[in-house]
């Protein structure tokens, strides 16, 4: 059996001060970012959850229903996840990517397997596909039987502790959101969760180094997320975009906000019955490749049903997003 060669990391390319990016990172003309922005007043909705105050739940549910119907993606504030923890997950992620390459490679993904846990650059990429301008670390966090912190970095010293706490807090938030979304549709609060079944949780911290030609590359190409729901935080660099009515709309970077994206399986569940046909089924995201001296970090938390594990369809009729470069993202 042929052994795959360890792929070159994008961060190493950026540090080499190249004037031109390698050809395998150049997007075809029709997929390249246009660096146009829609006005801020037409951006992705921002919903104040008011710390789930029951006295304000009616207003929150109304905004959730409208955001799910019109966008399939939104940001939430006053969500119950401590600001200290959001700062900590950004800090430990950045600390890892700023570590020497020989230390990072100790946690490298298996280059012979797709989407394995660890440090990598090619998640689900075919050999002949255009590559994303990003490196990442993928953690398997739920159910706990999949969780093995010894596979995660031990530097900085609180890295593993922070990831576990972040995992638990994001699980609680995801459950609350899925229940509220069910209730906005006059369904039992556990409707979506029961339809989806047991979930797997992955946490991906993505690092988008500065790109010398951001007009040619994407930090993360247009895609929809499989599974139930994605919870995502950005740093201040920005670059996440959502496709809305045929236009890419920038998601405003807010230090205290969490981006919520309805993933494929939840959309499929909600589009089954006639009561649910008003929900959006056309959102999509990407991440731009950053330009200049500053990288981008993003952290994403994915909840995926056990029936969906290892299955990925196209992004047709689902919420599609992307990242322009450079971008530092925590998933």
């Amino acid at each position: 059996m042929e052994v795959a060669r360890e792929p070159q990391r994008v961060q190493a390319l950026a540090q080499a001060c190249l004037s031109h990016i390698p050809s395998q990172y150049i997007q075809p003309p029709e997929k390249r970012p246009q660096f146009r922005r829609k006005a801020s007043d037409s951006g992705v909705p921002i919903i104040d959850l008011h710390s789930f105050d029951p006295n304000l739940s009616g207003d929150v549910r109304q905004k959730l229903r409208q955001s799910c119907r019109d966008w399939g993606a939104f940001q939430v504030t006053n969500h119950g996840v401590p600001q200290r923890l959001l700062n900590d997950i950004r800090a430990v992620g950045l600390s890892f990517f700023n570590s020497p390459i020989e230390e990072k490679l100790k946690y490298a993904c298996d280059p012979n397997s797709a989407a394995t846990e660890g440090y990598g650059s090619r998640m689900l990429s075919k050999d002949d596909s255009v590559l994303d301008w990003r490196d990442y670390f993928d953690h398997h966090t739920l159910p706990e039987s999949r969780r093995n912190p010894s596979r995660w970095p031990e530097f900085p010293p609180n890295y593993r502790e922070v990831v576990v706490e972040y995992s638990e807090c994001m699980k609680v938030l995801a459950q609350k959101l899925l229940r509220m979304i069910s209730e906005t549709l006059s369904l039992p609060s556990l409707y979506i969760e029961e339809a989806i079944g047991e979930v797997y949780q992955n946490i991906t911290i993505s690092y988008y180094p500065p790109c010398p030609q951001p007009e040619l590359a994407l930090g993360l190409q247009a895609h929809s997320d499989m599974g139930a729901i994605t919870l995502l935080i950005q740093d201040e660099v920005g670059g996440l975009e959502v496709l809305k009515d045929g236009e890419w709309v920038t998601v405003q970077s807010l230090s205290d906000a969490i981006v919520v994206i309805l993933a494929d399986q939840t959309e499929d569940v909600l589009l089954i019955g006639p009561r649910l046909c008003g929900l959006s089924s056309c959102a999509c995201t990407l991440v731009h490749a950053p330009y200049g001296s500053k990288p981008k970090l993003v952290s994403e938390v994915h909840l995926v049903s056990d029936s969906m594990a290892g299955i990925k369809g196209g992004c047709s009729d689902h919420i599609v997003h992307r990242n322009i470069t450079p971008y530092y993202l925590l998933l």
Side-chain angles (χ1 to χ4, degrees):
M1 182 181 71
E2 183 179 356
V3 178
R5 185 177 59 181
E6 185 69 41
Q8 186 168 16
R9 305 304 178 193
V10 176
Q11 188 175 6
L13 293 174
Q15 291 171 343
C17 299
L18 303 175
S19 58
H20 296 83
I21 62 174
S23 59
Q24 62 266 38
Y25 295 94
I26 298 177
Q27 294 289 327
E30 68 275 9
K31 294 184 178 181
R32 294 173 189 172
Q34 300 300 312
F35 295 100
R36 292 192 295 267
R37 300 289 184 271
K38 293 191 75 172
S40 59
D41 61 358
S42 62
V44 173
I46 301 171
I47 302 174
D48 186 343
L49 296 178
H50 300 289
S51 301
F52 297 95
D53 183 343
N55 295 320
L56 300 170
S57 61
D59 180 59
V60 172
R61 287 191 181 93
Q62 181 180 357
K63 292 178 179 177
L64 278 174
R65 182 181 179 89
Q66 183 176 355
S67 297
C68 290
R69 182 193 65 208
D70 297 342
W71 287 84
F74 48 91
Q75 299 201 70
V76 293
T77 60
N78 291 314
H79 38 62
V81 180
Q83 182 67 49
R84 180 266 312 164
L85 182 57
L86 300 183
N87 295 339
D88 284 350
I89 194 72
R90 292 184 181 106
V92 298
L94 187 57
S95 179
F96 171 77
F97 285 104
N98 284 338
S99 300
I101 185 64
E102 58 271 16
E103 293 298 321
K104 289 182 287 193
L105 287 175
K106 293 178 181 179
Y107 301 94
C109 295
D110 181 357
N112 294 292
S113 301
T116 57
E117 184 174 28
Y119 172 53
S121 297
R122 293 187 173 199
M123 186 177 288
L124 300 177
S125 292
K126 299 178 181 178
D127 291 340
D128 59 348
S129 62
V130 178
L131 300 179
D132 295 323
W133 190 261
R134 75 157 181 165
D135 296 329
Y136 64 84
F137 198 107
D138 191 42
H139 312 72
H140 295 174
T141 46
L142 289 176
E144 290 191 28
S145 58
R146 297 173 69 233
R147 182 188 296 171
N148 184 356
S150 66
R151 297 175 180 168
W152 309 342
E154 53 186 348
F155 50 89
N158 64 333
Y159 187 106
R160 296 172 180 176
E161 175 186 338
V162 168
V163 171
V164 169
E165 183 183 3
Y166 188 66
S167 166
E168 297 297 338
C169 284
M170 289 301 207
K171 173 188 175 183
V172 170
L173 176 59
Q175 290 174 328
K176 289 181 177 179
L177 287 168
L178 290 174
R179 291 170 189 178
M180 289 189 76
I181 291 170
S182 292
E183 291 167 2
T184 66
L185 300 165
S186 301
L187 295 167
S189 61
L190 295 178
Y191 180 87
I192 297 176
E193 289 179 81
E194 291 177 348
I196 291 171
E198 182 181 9
V199 297
Y200 285 49
Q201 183 196 69
N202 281 20
I203 295 177
T204 306
I205 301 179
S206 297
Y207 181 91
Y208 301 86
C211 181
Q213 294 180 295
E215 72 280 4
L216 300 180
L218 286 170
L220 191 59
Q221 299 173 58
H223 67 287
S224 63
D225 294 329
M226 73 181 213
I229 194 170
T230 296
L231 304 178
L232 179 153
I233 64 171
Q234 306 189 70
D235 69 2
E236 72 280 6
V237 177
L240 177 67
E241 294 188 340
V242 173
L243 186 64
K244 168 67 171 169
D245 298 329
E247 294 189 61
W248 288 104
V249 181
T250 300
V251 179
Q252 182 181 0
S253 179
L254 302 172
S255 64
D256 62 338
I258 295 174
V259 181
V260 181
I261 300 171
L262 297 187
D264 297 353
Q265 191 176 18
T266 293
E267 282 213 290
D268 289 342
V269 167
L270 295 180
L271 290 167
I272 290 174
R275 289 178 295 177
L276 311 179
C277 62
L279 276 153
S280 169
S281 61
C282 60
C284 166
T285 69
L286 61 68
V287 180
H288 279 267
Y291 180 76
S293 60
K294 201 163 189 180
K296 173 71 180 171
L297 186 69
V298 176
S299 173
E300 294 177 74
V301 179
H302 301 279
L303 288 186
V304 180
S305 166
D306 57 357
S307 65
M308 291 284 291
I311 302 173
K312 183 70 177 85
C315 57
S316 174
D317 294 331
H318 286 294
I319 300 163
V320 183
H321 49 289
R322 67 182 187 177
N323 275 300
I324 57 175
T325 61
Y327 193 81
Y328 177 92
L329 182 64
L330 292 174
L331 265 60

